[in-house]
Structures are given as C-alpha cells and as structure tokens.
Amino acid sequence: MSAQPGAGSIFSLRRRNWRGAGPLGPLMGSPAAFVLLVVALATGTANYLAGEADRAATARANATIAGVERLVSEVKDLETGERGFVLVGSEDYLAPYTAALTKIETELASLGSAAQEPVRAGGPSLAGLIAQKRDFAARAITARREQGFEAATELVRTGEGKRLMDAIRVEAATQQDASAQHLATLQAQEHRRGLILFLLSGIAALGAIVLLARLALVRRQESLRMSRLLDGVLANAPVGLGFLDRDLKIRHMNRALATMSERGFGADLGAPIWAILPTLRTELAPKLAAALREGLVSPNVPVAVPTLSAPGGVRQFSMSFYPLRGAADGTGPEVEGVGLVVVDETIRHLAETRLRRSEERFRSLIEASAAIVWTANPEGNLQRRQVAWTRFTGQDEAAYSGLGFLDVVHPEDREHTRTAWSEAVATLQPYATEHRLRAASGAYRHMSVRAVPILEPDGTLREWVGTHTDITERKEAEAAIEAARAAAEAANAAKSQFLANMSHELRTPLSAVIGYAEMVQEELDDLGEADLIADVKKIEANARHLLGLINDVLDISKIEADRVEIYAEDFAVAAVVRDVATTVEGLIAKKGNSLTLDLADDLGTAHTDVTKLRQCLINLLSNAAKFTENGRITLSVARIGDALRFSVADTGIGMTQEQVGKLFERFTQADASTTRRFGGTGLGLAITRAFAEMLGGSIDVASCDGAGTTFTLTLPVLFQGAAAEHAEGTPETADDRKTILVVDDDSATRDLLARFLEREGFAVAVAEDGRRGLELARRLRPRAVLLDVTMPQMDGWAVLRALRADPDIGATPIVMVTVLDEQNLAFSLGATDYLQKPIDWGNLRQIVDRFRSVAEDGPILVVEDEADVRGHLCSYLRREGFPVVEAENGVDALERMEADRPCLVLLDLMMPEMDGFAFLRRVRARHDWREVPVVVLTAKDITADDRRRLAGHADRVLAKGSTGLGELARELRSLMPMLADTDEGRSGH
C-alpha cells in the first residue's frame, strides 16, 4: 500500500523542510523564484516597449512642430507672391505664389489631423484658415488681372488678408505650444515609468537569485535530513537489514537484524553470517555468490535455525539477497557487496501450522457432524467434493453440479427453494428456508437450511457456506403439539359452549321460579293472604340467592378461562353509585344497617365497563352488609387525578391479618366458622378483584378485628385496552331508533330542545358543534336530526351535505333550526323541514310527531321456547294490561308477525329451529318491520361479539333472573309511550 502525503507521514516532514517553516514557507521555494524571474523579464520587456512607444510619440510631436513651422513659412511665401503681383502686375511675381500652393498641400497632408482639428474648442482649424487665405489671395490676383491695380488695392485695403494671416500665425503658435506641452508630458512619464520598471525588474531579479540560492541550501539540508531519517527508518525497521562486503562479512546491521542474530544464527559485525552456524554456509553460499559475482537477486530464501528459545525449538527466517553496486543509481557494473533482508517468520509458520491443524479438525468435525455442511460458488452452484452431501443424498458431483441439487428436494418444496436461493444469491443476503430432502434411502427428511455469503475484504463474494440440519423429529413434535393445541381449542370451545348452555339451562328455570313467585305474591296480595306472602317471598329470595351463586360460579369459570370481555362506555359516576345504593338498600336494611353516601362534587363521567363496576360495588356492599349488624356502612367516592377511588367502610366484625391474607382466595372465607355463621361461597371478593384488575385498577383492604373493614377500589377514569377500543367502535343501540339528535352550539338552546323532546317521549342526544354532531349521527343513526347553521369548526350546511352524502344515514330526516332565513337553500341541500328561531313549540311538536314509531298499536309478541317461562311472562303482561301474542321459536314468531304486526317483540336468543340472532336479521331486513322495538330477554352471557351482532337490531338487552317483572314492565312502557299513556288513563279511572 503506497503512502500518501499527509499528517504523520514522512512526506509532510519533507514538505515543511523544503519550503521552510511558517506561513511564508510555501512562498520561499522554486515556484516563487520562477515567478520573480518572470516578473523581472516582464518588467524589462515592458520598459523597452514603453520606451519605444514614447520615442515614437516624441518624434511625432517634433514632426508636428516642424511641419507647422514649414506650413506658416509657405503661407508667407504665398502672401509675398500675391502682394508682388498686386503691386507690379508682372506674372514673374506669381512664381513663389504658385510654388507655395503646392507645398502648402504637401505640408497639410503631412500634418494630417493636427491641421484639420482646431486646438481651441470652437475655434477654426489651421487648414480652414489656410484655405481662406488661399481663397483671398486668389481673389486679389484675379481682381488685379481683370480690374486693375485699384480694384486689387481696394480689396487688400479691406484688411481681410492681414486678419487671416494673423489668425494663421496664432493657430500655428497654439498648435506648436500644444505639441511642445505634450512632448514635455511624454518625457516626464517616460522618466518615471522607466525608473519604476527598472527598480521592479532589479528587485525581482535579485529576489529570484536569493530564493534560488536559498532553495539550493534548503535542498542540501533536506537531503542530509532525509538521509538521517532514512537511516532511522532502516535502523528501526521491523525487518532485519544488513550489508555484506565482498568477503561476505557483515559490515552493518540494523536493530532488528541484531536481535535476530542474537536469537538465531548469532553472527556479529566483521564476521561471516555463518560464523556461529557453519551449516548455513552450504545453504547460503550459492545465493551470496550469485548476488556478488552475477548480480542476481535471491528473494525469500527460507532458513531454519535450531534455537532452544524458539517455539518448537526452531526459528524460521526468510532471507533475501541483492547486489550492492557502486554507482549512485545502482546500475554500475561493479558490485561492492551484498544487501541482506531478513524476516523472522517463526510466528507466521506457527500460525500456519495451527491453521492447518484447525482446518483438519474442522474438516473432521464436518465429516462427523449430523448436519450436512456444503459450499457453493458465487453463482450459487455447489462446489466439487461435497462429501457430506454425497453421503446423505447419494448424488455424485455430476448430479449435484449447477442446480442439480434441487432434484433431491421434494417436488412440493422445490419451487420455493429455488426462489429463495436465487434471491439470496442475487442480494447477497443470508439464506434461510426449510424443505424436505430425499435421503439416499429414498425417504424424505425435513431440513432446516441456513447459508451465509463469505465476502472478500473488497466486498466481493468469495463463496457460500451452508448447512442442512435434520429437523424431522422437531417437525413431528410440532405436528403433535399442533394437534394437541387443536384438541385443546376444541375442548375450550366445547367448554365455552357448555358454559353458555349451562347458563341458559340454569338461569331459565330460576327466572321462571322468580317470576312465578312475584306473580303469586301479587295474587296473594289481591286475595288478602298476607300470611302466605312471606313464604312466597322466601321462595323468591332463595331463588335469587341460588341465581347469584350460579352467576358467581359461571363468572369465576369465565375468569379462569380468560373469556371475560370488557364493554367500556361513558356514564355519570354519581348516577351509577346512587343506582347501586338503591339496589342494595333492602339487603343493607335486612340486618338493621344504614348506608351513607359520601360523593365528591367533581366525579363527572367515566369510561369503563359500568356493568362490572356495578357488580364490584354490589359485591363489596353485600359483603359489608353480611358481616355488619345494626351498624353503619359508608360508600365514599372521590376523583383523584385520572382515577376514581371507591371506599366501602363498615362497622362490622372486622378481620385479623391472617384472615386478610386469605381474603381474595377463591372458594375461601376468613375461616370455617365464618362460613358456617354467615354462609356464602367465598367467590364474591375473588370476582371483584379479578374485575378490578381487568379494568386496570386494584382493590385494597384495611381491617381491624372487631372494629370493621374498609375496602378501597381504585379504577382509571378512562379504561385503556383493546376491549375498550372495540367497545367504542360499537354503535350505541339503546333507544337509537327513538333518539333525536340536537346539534347546536348554544347550550341554552340545546337544553330547551332536549327538555321538550324528552317530554314528548323521545330519547335525546346533543352535540355542541357540527363535527361532533356528524360523528354522533353516524354512530347513533337517530330517528331525526335538529340542526343549527351557524356553528364553529363545521357549520350546519356542511353537516347537511355530509349527512345526505352518507349512504347509511342519508335518508335520516333533518330539520334546520336557525335564526337565518335560508329556507330555499336548506331545501335545495336536502333538509326535511325548516324552523326559524325563536322556536314555535307548537310547530316543532307537529314536526316531531311525524317521527314517532307507527308500530305502537299491535300486541306484544313474546318469543320464548321454554313453555313455563313463556307462560308466566304472558300472564304477567296480560295482568299489566298489555295485549300479548306467543311464539315458541323464531319461525313461529315470523308467521305471527305476518298475521298481526306487533307493537313490540320480547325475544329470547337461544331457541331451536331459528335462534334470536337469525330472527332479528329477518325482522330488520323487512322495511315494514324495521321500526318495531325489540327487547332481548335472555339467560345467555352476552359477549362483545353478541353485542356487535345485536347492534342496530335490539332496543334493549335484559338478563333473565336479574330483571324483575316490574322492571320489565317499566322497560316495555318506556318503549311504548302510547300504551303507557293508555295504562295511566285506565289507572286514573
């Protein structure tokens, strides 16, 4: 590798010494001297050329002065001839005149522009004045000839000739002065320029001489310095360097050669190289003689010297011999000695030996390995002598050459193997695949194939090295695992189906027992049999207790199977807590306890699974009521940052620390005596903690034996998780077909419209701007939209266009409610109606009446496959004054609806022939049945998938057993305002 001039190299040292140190160093070398010589030559040449130009200009100025003088003289001769002729009249006097005319022309031509251009600005030129003088003389001569002496004299007396002659003299003198002045200026400039150029030329020449002299000195010093540096390099070179004289005695050795001599052949200065080891003479003498006598170079002569200190007892040297000639360029005929270069290669030989042995071990390892190790050339073809490949596949070199190795790959795997290998070879990326390979026995084995490209230092590909590893046993194990997984999934699915069936089969008869108990209580109350009512209430209470136990067991089974789903929704925290308190009111009062609510003012809303939150609070309050008698139970709720903290504190029996440690274990209570005394399964708190953790929260307990217990449930205000995201994406279905959406940025208007619509029996959703209104409209699919126009972010016209352009909600009635008078624009954009603020409430009532459901004048259709449940439901509804029609499955229900369209459908989900889901799809597919409200009453656990299937189809989803008959009646009346009004009127009578 050649060295480049730069920092840290000898070239940088050389450059600094050549040019001298410091910033002016580069200016002190031969280029500067050359420049100075050029400057000296250029200035001398310029001085010569400028002098020649000045001399020419001086000659021209002198010629102008002389020419003007001659011209004036000729004019004088012309004037003399003219006057003589005028006075005498003899033609002899015209001879000077005639000669002067010719000379005047000659002189004017020689003067050129000097005579043609005036010296003074605006004055006459010399040539012009002479022309006037010649014209005057010609007129005077003509007058003398033709008119005589008197006429000519009279013309002369006018003084014109004199004036012209005076003017000529003045112009000539001026011209001569100008030329003289120009001549003086030229002479002064020539003097200054000549002096400057002479000095500059002399200085440049002197500088060049000084620089060249200094350069010679510096180069001499540099030569000496480089000689010293070279001596240093030779002395400290990592290879041995020495000189032998003509007698082959060592005259010089550098440090490395001296060290090698001490470690190996042991020669000293002045002695022959084989002085210590005479055996070297036989080896080296011919090489040295060839260099000395024939001038031949003998490179890289291996020499082995036995040495005890060397690894292996032998030190390996590589010696090179070359002739040393006396001529400076090394080409002279006389050889004065032999140059010696010695390299200690003991370490290299040792490394090569180790590498050779390592390769032998690696080759043995490959041959003994279970994997097939192979190599391929850069083109992707297997190289020759693939012993392992041949041993496994039975292919010889001719068979696997090129891409012949693909012939033993399974036909189904061959194409993807070819593609993967071709891509790896093209991109130089590691190759990894799996395929089946045919062994020499003919059986196919699963192989994991890996190969990597081996690159040269310059990045070019040298070869590929790869392995085939037999993974047949692993594949068989994976297949067994997959079969086991499939079996486990099938078992899990069977378990899930079993739980669903058990849920339905257990809850359905219990709901019938509870329902009949409620009906019997009402009938006994009507008959005045108060003594029997208490017994029936015990039946109802025990049935509900059994239903609770079944629910707990089913919940814990779903928790263990990881099948619990979170359905997050927005709700008002305070309202839910008060509802929970109302639910457990009777249970708390049963043992003489009182319930106190301590609710913070800033609870606001939360987004989580409200059903599971209710169940957690009911479990905690029930637990407190169970272990407290004639005491106080306090439910405190506070909002702390992004979390809600629910605390249930009681003044009951409390617990020891040992009992607290086992509190949340499944099927476990504080101790056996507690179970005997208070009963229960020990699942409530375990379920509560599981639900709390699923909702991203935690539950803590603090208790003191005999002093009460405090449970603290902490939940995030906003539930985060895949289930929450899924739930948010699920359309809201409760009352969606009876919901009217109010979109207005004015809070007072929104409140007034919402109150009015709620009094009219509609559910109301509100949005404070157009963008939020459009989002709610797509999610809720309301019966109608009341829309303002002037709103921020997105005005009412844009919302109207977007709603009409949406194929899913484009047919929704839209009433514009605004202060603007833009009815034509509203109707042109697709508005259904138009109300101008302030709102005429009577007009609004007439408009919204058109949006009421028309399916409110038929019977209630009860669809239930269990005859007992269906019977007690129908009996109760008839007693409540509802017209009822029965159907035992979905097919029968469709036939009943064809005969008489109901005002509402009470639907079970799990039925034979046609279940509730299929029935709902059929009902909602019919345009004339689309508005019929449907209430789902089922014992099935409703999953998130079930909610998606029911979305947009069911108006209510109620659970059997947990929904009492009275609550069911209230739900039905909320969906049928007209029947509710009729019942109220009947009750009034």
Side-chain angles (χ1 to χ4, degrees):
M1 182 172 62
S2 61
Q4 297 297 328
S9 70
I10 195 169
F11 292 94
S12 61
L13 295 175
R14 185 180 183 90
R15 186 177 299 277
R16 287 198 299 270
N17 284 309
W18 280 7
R19 304 296 181 251
L24 297 180
L27 299 179
M28 305 302 288
S30 57
F34 176 76
V35 170
L36 290 176
L37 287 175
V38 171
V39 169
L41 181 61
T43 52
T45 302
N47 192 19
Y48 170 77
L49 294 176
E52 289 297 319
D54 289 342
R55 283 190 289 274
T58 300
R60 286 195 298 274
N62 290 329
T64 299
I65 294 172
V68 170
E69 186 67 31
R70 289 193 301 272
L71 184 61
V72 172
S73 176
E74 296 300 331
V75 172
K76 289 179 180 179
D77 291 344
L78 181 141
E79 186 179 36
T80 300
E82 170 222 332
R83 288 180 179 179
F85 181 76
V86 169
L87 290 175
V88 178
S90 173
E91 293 293 332
D92 293 337
Y93 286 94
L94 291 178
Y97 170 81
T98 303
L101 286 176
T102 302
K103 293 181 179 179
I104 286 172
E105 289 297 332
T106 303
E107 294 298 335
L108 285 174
S110 64
L111 288 175
S113 62
Q116 300 298 328
E117 297 176 358
V119 178
R120 292 167 297 175
S125 64
L126 184 60
L129 292 173
I130 291 174
Q132 293 179 20
K133 180 63 177 175
R134 285 190 301 179
D135 178 67
F136 176 78
R139 283 190 284 116
I141 291 172
T142 302
R144 180 70 176 84
R145 282 178 178 167
E146 295 178 357
Q147 299 178 12
F149 176 76
E150 291 297 331
T153 304
E154 187 66 27
L155 182 59
V156 172
R157 288 195 188 102
T158 61
E160 180 180 357
K162 183 178 182 303
R163 287 195 303 275
L164 288 173
M165 191 62 195
D166 292 341
I168 289 171
R169 287 191 182 95
V170 171
E171 183 66 21
T174 302
Q175 184 71 42
Q176 287 177 331
D177 291 342
S179 297
Q181 185 176 0
H182 177 62
L183 183 61
T185 301
L186 286 176
Q187 290 174 348
Q189 290 177 350
E190 180 182 5
H191 178 72
R192 288 194 300 273
R193 183 173 58 249
L195 179 60
I196 292 171
L197 292 177
F198 172 76
L199 292 176
L200 181 60
S201 177
I203 291 171
L206 182 60
I209 293 171
V210 171
L211 286 179
L212 290 175
R214 183 182 182 280
L215 179 61
L217 178 61
V218 167
R219 286 189 174 176
R220 173 61 179 168
Q221 293 174 345
E222 177 65 15
S223 178
L224 295 175
R225 179 180 176 80
M226 293 308 296
S227 296
R228 290 194 299 271
L229 288 174
L230 183 57
D231 290 341
V233 169
L234 295 178
N236 295 284
V239 297
L241 300 174
F243 307 133
L244 307 179
D245 59 16
R246 292 185 60 83
D247 295 329
L248 300 181
K249 294 179 180 179
I250 300 174
R251 294 302 178 187
H252 175 77
M253 290 192 297
N254 67 350
R255 187 176 294 111
L257 184 57
T259 301
M260 294 178 193
S261 179
E262 292 174 0
R263 294 178 178 176
F265 43 83
D268 294 325
L269 290 176
I273 195 169
W274 48 77
I276 304 299
L277 295 174
T279 55
L280 291 179
R281 184 165 191 166
T282 305
E283 253 184 286
L284 303 181
K287 308 293 183 183
L288 293 170
L292 189 62
R293 298 190 181 93
E294 303 175 19
L296 299 179
V297 176
S298 300
N300 303 324
V301 178
V303 176
V305 179
T307 306
L308 295 177
S309 62
V314 177
R315 192 168 294 278
Q316 302 287 342
F317 295 101
S318 174
M319 296 186 177
S320 298
F321 307 102
Y322 56 92
L324 297 177
R325 303 182 185 275
D329 57 0
T331 59
E334 184 68 23
V335 176
E336 296 185 357
V338 177
L340 175 64
V341 179
V342 182
V343 179
D344 190 342
E345 296 187 335
T346 305
I347 302 300
R348 183 177 68 83
H349 275 266
L350 184 62
E352 289 178 351
T353 301
R354 290 175 178 174
L355 178 60
R356 184 170 60 255
R357 292 175 180 173
S358 176
E359 290 176 348
E360 291 173 354
R361 285 195 300 270
F362 179 67
R363 188 175 297 106
S364 300
L365 179 63
I366 291 175
E367 293 177 355
S369 173
I372 305 172
V373 181
W374 49 268
T375 58
N377 60 24
E379 291 74 31
N381 303 323
L382 289 185
Q383 295 177 343
R384 301 177 61 186
R385 297 185 62 187
Q386 302 293 329
V387 179
W389 183 270
T390 299
R391 185 170 58 247
F392 183 86
T393 64
Q395 283 188 316
D396 55 18
E397 290 186 14
Y400 63 66
S401 63
L403 296 179
F405 67 89
L406 291 172
D407 294 340
V408 292
V409 176
H410 195 282
E412 295 178 1
D413 303 336
R414 195 168 294 161
E415 188 56 38
H416 85 77
T417 300
R418 184 196 307 273
T419 302
W421 179 237
S422 300
E423 182 178 352
V425 171
T427 60
L428 299 185
Q429 295 298 315
Y431 169 60
T433 188
E434 291 183 0
H435 58 224
R436 287 162 289 178
L437 194 67
R438 188 181 66 223
S441 62
Y444 282 97
R445 305 288 292 179
H446 287 277
M447 291 287 178
S448 174
V449 189
R450 297 290 185 273
V452 293
I454 307 301
L455 304 179
E456 297 287 1
D458 60 358
T460 59
L461 179 63
R462 186 174 72 204
E463 64 179 349
W464 289 85
V465 176
T467 62
H468 273 62
T469 305
D470 193 332
I471 59 171
T472 304
E473 293 181 359
R474 192 193 78 188
K475 286 291 185 180
E476 292 173 350
E478 290 176 353
I481 292 172
E482 180 63 24
R485 187 186 64 80
E489 289 180 352
N492 190 45
K495 178 182 177 182
S496 299
Q497 186 62 40
F498 172 76
L499 289 175
N501 292 336
M502 285 297 296
S503 172
H504 181 266
E505 295 300 328
L506 291 174
R507 288 169 178 166
T508 297
L510 283 174
S511 64
V513 171
I514 294 170
Y516 278 118
E518 290 176 338
M519 289 175 59
V520 170
Q521 289 177 54
E522 292 182 4
E523 291 176 356
L524 291 175
D525 186 48
D526 293 341
L527 296 174
E529 298 290 343
D531 295 339
L532 297 176
I533 291 177
D535 294 333
V536 177
K537 283 186 176 179
K538 291 178 182 178
I539 294 173
E540 180 189 354
N542 282 281
R544 291 190 183 277
H545 178 67
L546 181 57
L547 181 62
L549 295 179
I550 292 171
N551 287 337
D552 285 347
V553 172
L554 292 173
D555 282 342
I556 205 69
S557 298
K558 288 192 292 183
I559 291 171
E560 289 178 346
D562 197 20
R563 291 181 53 249
V564 178
E565 295 174 322
I566 304 300
Y567 186 75
E569 56 186 311
D570 295 326
F571 61 91
V573 177
V576 169
V577 172
R578 291 191 181 96
D579 183 50
V580 168
T582 302
T583 302
V584 300
E585 209 170 49
L587 182 63
I588 289 177
K590 184 176 179 180
K591 290 189 176 183
N593 298 313
S594 64
L595 175 63
T596 302
L597 295 182
D598 181 12
L599 307 182
D601 297 331
D602 60 343
L603 295 181
T605 61
H607 180 82
T608 188
D609 192 321
V610 67
T611 302
K612 289 179 175 54
L613 173 60
R614 284 170 54 89
Q615 187 169 346
C616 289
L617 294 178
I618 290 173
N619 285 348
L620 294 177
L621 290 170
S622 300
N623 187 74
K626 182 190 297 185
F627 297 104
T628 305
E629 291 185 15
N630 301 319
R632 184 178 67 258
I633 299 173
T634 304
L635 173 56
S636 304
V637 187
R639 191 183 188 108
I640 303 174
D642 294 331
L644 290 170
R645 187 175 63 193
F646 303 86
S647 296
V648 177
D650 63 60
T651 58
I653 62 174
M655 292 178 288
T656 65
Q657 290 303 311
E658 181 182 357
Q659 291 172 333
V660 170
K662 300 187 295 182
L663 190 61
F664 294 103
E665 295 180 7
R666 296 169 185 174
F667 302 103
T668 302
Q669 290 191 338
D671 52 36
S673 62
T674 303
T675 305
R676 289 192 299 270
R677 180 180 174 188
F678 296 98
T681 61
L683 291 176
L685 292 178
I687 293 172
T688 300
R689 184 174 69 171
F691 285 171
E693 292 173 351
M694 289 178 186
L695 296 177
S698 62
I699 184 168
D700 300 309
V701 59
S703 182
C704 183
D705 191 14
T709 303
T710 300
F711 287 91
T712 302
L713 173 65
T714 305
L715 296 178
V717 174
L718 178 63
F719 174 73
Q720 298 290 344
E725 296 172 5
H726 172 77
E728 287 192 8
T730 304
E732 297 177 18
T733 60
D735 270 348
D736 58 353
R737 288 188 304 282
K738 298 180 69 66
T739 297
I740 292 181
L741 175 61
V742 177
V743 186
D744 199 307
D745 63 324
D746 182 63
S747 59
T749 302
R750 288 198 308 272
D751 184 58
L752 287 172
L753 287 172
R755 291 184 179 182
F756 173 82
L757 293 171
E758 287 171 352
R759 287 197 304 271
E760 292 297 315
F762 292 97
V764 182
V766 296
E768 66 278 2
D769 58 62
R771 196 177 302 281
R772 174 64 176 164
L774 186 60
E775 176 186 339
L776 286 178
R778 287 170 173 161
R779 192 172 70 184
L780 298 176
R781 301 193 180 189
R783 178 175 289 279
V785 179
L786 300 185
L787 180 62
D788 188 20
V789 172
T790 54
M791 294 181 294
Q793 296 188 8
M794 189 177 189
D795 64 16
W797 304 126
V799 176
L800 180 58
R801 292 189 189 95
L803 289 173
R804 289 296 181 235
D806 193 316
D808 294 330
I809 56 175
T812 304
I814 302 173
V815 180
M816 307 304 294
V817 183
T818 178
V819 296
L820 302 178
D821 187 11
E822 296 286 354
Q823 294 190 35
N824 293 335
L825 176 59
F827 290 128
S828 67
L829 292 177
T832 307
D833 216 322
Y834 194 93
L835 275 178
Q836 194 167 357
K837 297 177 182 177
I839 300 170
D840 184 338
W841 301 105
N843 192 9
L844 178 60
R845 182 177 290 106
Q846 293 178 2
I847 292 174
V848 299
D849 280 344
R850 302 202 305 267
F851 306 143
R852 297 186 186 278
S853 174
V854 297
E856 295 182 349
D857 52 355
I860 293 177
L861 175 59
V862 178
V863 188
E864 169 65 60
D865 61 323
E866 293 287 342
D868 291 341
V869 177
R870 188 171 69 247
H872 90 262
L873 283 175
C874 292
S875 299
Y876 180 80
L877 293 175
R878 290 190 181 100
R879 287 189 56 191
E880 291 294 314
F882 294 106
V884 179
V885 176
E886 302 179 34
E888 63 180 351
N889 55 54
V891 176
D892 186 24
L894 291 175
E895 294 175 355
R896 300 279 185 178
M897 291 186 70
E898 290 283 0
D900 186 9
R901 187 176 68 178
C903 66
L904 183 142
V905 177
L906 189 58
L907 177 67
D908 187 20
L909 290 179
M910 300 181 69
M911 298 181 295
E913 296 193 39
M914 178 185 288
D915 64 11
F917 297 107
F919 171 77
L920 273 173
R921 287 196 299 270
R922 295 283 294 275
V923 168
R924 295 312 181 200
R926 285 275 297 266
H927 180 74
D928 53 338
W929 293 346
R930 193 170 297 167
E931 301 297 331
V932 177
V934 176
V935 175
V936 172
L937 182 64
T938 182
K940 184 181 187 300
D941 286 323
I942 301 299
T943 64
D945 183 61
D946 294 335
R947 291 181 186 276
R948 285 192 296 270
R949 297 170 67 185
L950 294 173
H953 296 324
D955 296 80
R956 292 283 194 279
V957 179
L958 304 176
K960 286 182 180 179
S962 61
T963 303
L965 294 176
E967 183 182 354
L968 175 62
R970 287 193 298 273
E971 292 289 349
L972 298 182
R973 287 191 176 94
S974 70
L975 292 171
M976 299 182 298
M978 293 180 66
L979 285 179
D981 294 343
T982 303
D983 291 344
E984 289 173 5
R986 186 169 60 248
S987 301
H989 292 295

